[in-house]
Amino acid sequence: MATAWPAGVDWEHLEVTEADLEGLLNQFLEDPLPRTAEELARALIARRLQEIEERRRGLLAGARPFRPRDRYQVGDRLFFPHLNFALGTVVGIRDGHNPEVGPFKVIQVRFEDGGALREFAAEYPLPHRLNEVDGLRGPDEKGLQPEEIWATWGRRIAERLAARLEGHPDFVRVGDHWFPRALLVELHEGHLNLVEALLDVQGGGPLPPEAILPHLEMPADVPPALQIFSLNAALYRDPRFDEVGPAGQFLWFLRRMEPPEVLETPPRLQGAPYRGSGQRLDAALRGIAAEIDDEWSALEEIRPGQPGEAEAVAWIATYPHLASGTAPLTRRTAQVFPLGRTHRIRFTFEDPTTGQRWPGWVVRERRYVFGLREWYAAHQIQPGCRVVFRRSGEPGVVQVMLQGRSRREWVRVVKVEEGRLTFDMLRRQIPGEFDDQSLLFIDDPSALEDLWPRWRHRPVRALVQTLFPALAGLVPQGTVHAKTLYQAVNLLIRTPPEALFEEVMDLPGCVYLGDGYWRWVEG
């Protein structure tokens, strides 16, 4: 009895077709403005619904929906939503008989597919679900309202559409907006050379596209949003330029004028990430490793929008970062630093004590933040000092500070003597709060840097065998804490704590006592 009726859309498993993309292209032609995946997905949903409605209206032209409450005459052409919108003609009418219902009619309908006559109640006085159909969808067919569809399947549809657009040559994405490639405003080599010169005058940048456009004399009849999109698209394609803005903001910088430490990992930070499970370590050592918060302890992706609402985080300084002018970018520290679409983000550091400001860089792909060398030197920061990073009330500005007052303390002083590291307990001036088990004081950093090339590629085990007796000799008990060992080893070899602790567990002469302590036993 079914006629060729346009079925509804399987929104849950929707496949984006070429016809869908052609429909979006036509929309861009009518209204040439970049759009997000959500905006395009909503337009796709509306288009699919309009197609279904138009096809159904065409099939139902000259017919009216069957509803039990309505009155009909012989010759009326009806469609039946609950029968897959089958079409038929009323060929007879008689009285119905049911004392519990009251007076009603029974209509006889012959369906257009040549089937037998069927009878249906009409002028029916009681409530019935078929009275509620809208004429274009059946009683069990839901989801023909755009907002209903978006609320249930919208995000999934937008993701599938974005994936289809990503690999399609006719569309270009800039940030979270899309636009047809053929409709972009053309920027030729002269435009790009002018942008390079403009950024060069600005010390490399950064500049937003709104500050660049007035110098390019773009066509006046092009909407500003499309001018910005076209400029960003052209700069993305040119390797001379680097987009360094935080999420939601475009900022452009000349790649050749970025600090070398932003383009390449500083040598002192280069090392092997930890790829083990940590199951060989007890709860105390795993907790210490988590407290150290080394950027190579876990390889979780750091991305914009990740959970975290901390206003400030404290970091226990380590020598590789102090020597490089950097700080680690971990899931914890990333809560206060700006993140963005790209792997390098330019922002501003501020010392709230002095009001001084200077450039900083988030290098997300290599998990560090650069721009602190002068601040570390000015405050004489030592391994084990507690450095605080805090979000300011101003977007793109991160404050860096110490807590507590400077004071003289008995500390482990690192010296280089006869080509090896030695340790003594001496009094030194410490610039603020510190972690007692992590604190080391380096009297002569240049001597340490001279020694570093001889050790940087040697096995961690060899360095531990050299350092452990010297550290154990600082206390009568002959013990060394995990934090102290981590700081000492990273003076010469870059290693995350878990890998180091596992190495020490197997080292002859090192006896693990629990609570993060080892004792050195003479062989």
Side-chain angles (χ1 to χ4, degrees):
M1 178 172 296
T3 58
W5 180 251
V9 178
D10 182 1
W11 298 107
E12 185 173 1
H13 304 97
L14 178 74
E15 295 294 333
V16 180
T17 66
E18 283 296 323
D20 291 322
L21 299 184
E22 183 177 347
L24 295 178
L25 282 171
N26 290 334
Q27 183 175 347
F28 279 116
L29 287 171
E30 295 174 4
D31 186 13
L33 289 176
R35 290 176 174 83
T36 65
E38 176 178 338
E39 291 172 319
L40 294 176
R42 287 180 179 272
L44 184 153
I45 291 169
R47 175 180 169 275
R48 288 286 190 102
L49 292 177
Q50 182 180 3
E51 285 182 348
I52 294 173
E53 183 175 335
E54 289 176 353
R55 291 167 61 195
R56 289 183 176 183
R57 288 189 186 280
L59 288 171
L60 301 177
R64 54 186 288 200
F66 168 74
R67 297 186 180 96
R69 70 186 177 207
D70 290 349
R71 175 178 297 178
Y72 302 101
Q73 296 178 357
V74 172
D76 283 349
R77 190 166 179 254
L78 307 180
F79 62 86
F80 293 78
H82 66 296
L83 298 178
N84 198 28
F85 291 81
L87 287 162
T89 301
V90 178
V91 295
I93 302 175
R94 65 176 176 82
D95 292 330
H97 301 283
N98 188 333
E100 296 181 0
V101 174
F104 67 96
K105 299 292 185 181
V106 174
I107 60 173
Q108 295 174 325
V109 177
R110 185 179 299 282
F111 287 94
E112 295 184 0
D113 61 0
L117 288 175
R118 289 189 61 176
E119 294 188 332
F120 301 89
E123 302 178 41
Y124 190 75
L126 298 183
H128 196 287
R129 69 187 187 113
L130 293 182
N131 289 326
E132 307 304 321
V133 297
D134 64 4
L136 290 177
R137 60 178 173 179
D140 298 319
E141 186 179 16
K142 298 179 180 179
L144 280 182
Q145 298 301 321
E147 290 305 321
E148 296 176 26
I149 296 168
W150 179 259
T152 306
W153 299 289
R155 298 300 173 190
R156 186 177 305 174
I157 294 172
E159 290 172 2
R160 291 190 175 186
L161 175 58
R164 183 69 190 273
L165 293 174
E166 196 73 53
H168 201 285
D170 291 343
F171 291 88
V172 177
R173 180 171 66 91
V174 172
D176 56 359
H177 283 69
W178 296 86
F179 197 75
R181 189 181 304 275
L183 301 182
L184 290 173
V185 180
E186 183 180 0
L187 279 87
H188 53 68
E189 188 66 21
H191 285 124
L192 300 177
N193 291 339
L194 185 56
V195 175
E196 181 180 17
L198 183 63
L199 290 173
D200 196 315
V201 171
Q202 297 293 325
L207 285 178
E210 293 84 354
I212 298 173
L213 279 173
H215 301 270
L216 303 183
E217 299 182 354
M218 303 278 273
D221 59 342
V222 176
L226 180 53
Q227 292 187 30
I228 292 173
F229 187 97
S230 300
L231 173 59
N232 285 334
L235 296 181
Y236 268 126
R237 294 193 301 268
D238 194 313
R240 290 175 289 180
F241 307 105
D242 208 0
E243 204 275 288
V244 299
Q249 183 180 5
F250 285 94
L251 293 174
W252 291 99
F253 209 96
L254 270 184
R255 192 183 300 269
R256 61 179 170 82
M257 298 185 73
E258 292 176 356
E261 296 89 346
V262 173
L263 298 174
E264 299 291 339
T265 304
R268 271 294 196 166
L269 300 185
Q270 296 173 9
Y274 178 68
R275 300 186 184 277
S277 65
Q279 294 304 309
R280 296 182 57 200
L281 308 178
D282 67 2
L285 289 174
R286 291 197 299 270
I288 290 168
E291 186 179 349
I292 288 172
D293 200 28
D294 191 295
E295 70 268 27
W296 293 118
S297 284
L299 297 181
E300 298 173 301
E301 183 183 2
I302 299 170
R303 60 187 185 278
Q306 67 184 30
E309 296 297 333
E311 291 294 327
V313 295
W315 167 62
I316 304 302
T318 61
Y319 186 76
H321 283 289
L322 294 178
S324 305
T326 57
L329 188 70
T330 66
R331 286 185 63 86
R332 187 176 65 88
T333 61
Q335 295 179 83
V336 299
F337 288 105
L339 299 178
R341 299 167 295 274
T342 60
H343 289 294
R344 291 173 294 278
I345 298 97
R346 173 71 142 63
F347 68 100
T348 299
F349 275 118
E350 179 186 61
D351 185 332
T353 303
T354 64
Q356 180 185 4
R357 290 187 170 191
W358 65 96
W361 293 82
V362 171
V363 188
R364 181 161 59 97
E365 73 221 287
R366 294 190 287 275
R367 310 174 78 87
Y368 61 85
V369 176
F370 174 73
L372 291 161
R373 181 176 285 113
E374 289 76 14
W375 189 85
Y376 288 155
H379 291 80
Q380 297 184 319
I381 307 299
Q382 301 293 325
C385 286
R386 194 180 302 273
V387 179
V388 176
F389 299 104
R390 185 174 67 191
R391 288 190 289 181
S392 72
E394 183 178 347
V397 178
V398 177
Q399 296 178 336
V400 56
M401 68 198 79
L402 296 171
Q403 292 181 329
R405 302 176 62 181
S406 176
R407 60 190 186 275
R408 290 182 67 81
E409 294 282 349
W410 287 95
V411 299
R412 305 170 196 86
V413 176
V414 181
K415 296 183 180 180
V416 178
E417 296 179 350
E418 298 179 357
R420 62 187 181 90
L421 291 184
T422 64
F423 302 88
D424 287 311
M425 294 297 296
L426 301 171
R427 287 177 64 85
R428 292 290 186 271
Q429 194 75 21
I430 307 301
E433 289 185 3
F434 57 89
D435 181 272
D436 185 62
Q437 300 291 359
S438 301
L439 187 62
L440 301 177
F441 194 98
I442 301 167
D443 269 350
D444 187 356
S446 61
L448 186 60
E449 290 304 302
D450 290 340
L451 181 62
W452 169 64
R454 296 169 50 183
W455 280 98
R456 61 176 299 195
H457 296 303
R458 295 184 62 182
V460 170
R461 173 178 290 244
L463 182 57
V464 172
Q465 289 174 322
T466 299
L467 297 180
F468 212 108
L471 291 169
L474 295 177
V475 294
Q477 299 86 350
T479 58
V480 179
H481 193 268
K483 291 182 183 179
T484 309
L485 185 62
Y486 166 79
Q487 291 281 7
V489 168
N490 274 274
L491 295 173
L492 295 176
I493 297 177
R494 180 72 185 93
T495 181
E498 295 91 343
L500 171 61
F501 299 162
E502 289 180 355
E503 188 75 44
V504 179
M505 295 296 278
D506 297 331
L507 192 64
C510 296
V511 178
Y512 184 59
L513 305 177
D515 294 330
Y517 283 93
W518 282 275
R519 176 181 289 137
W520 175 254
V521 179
E522 295 289 345

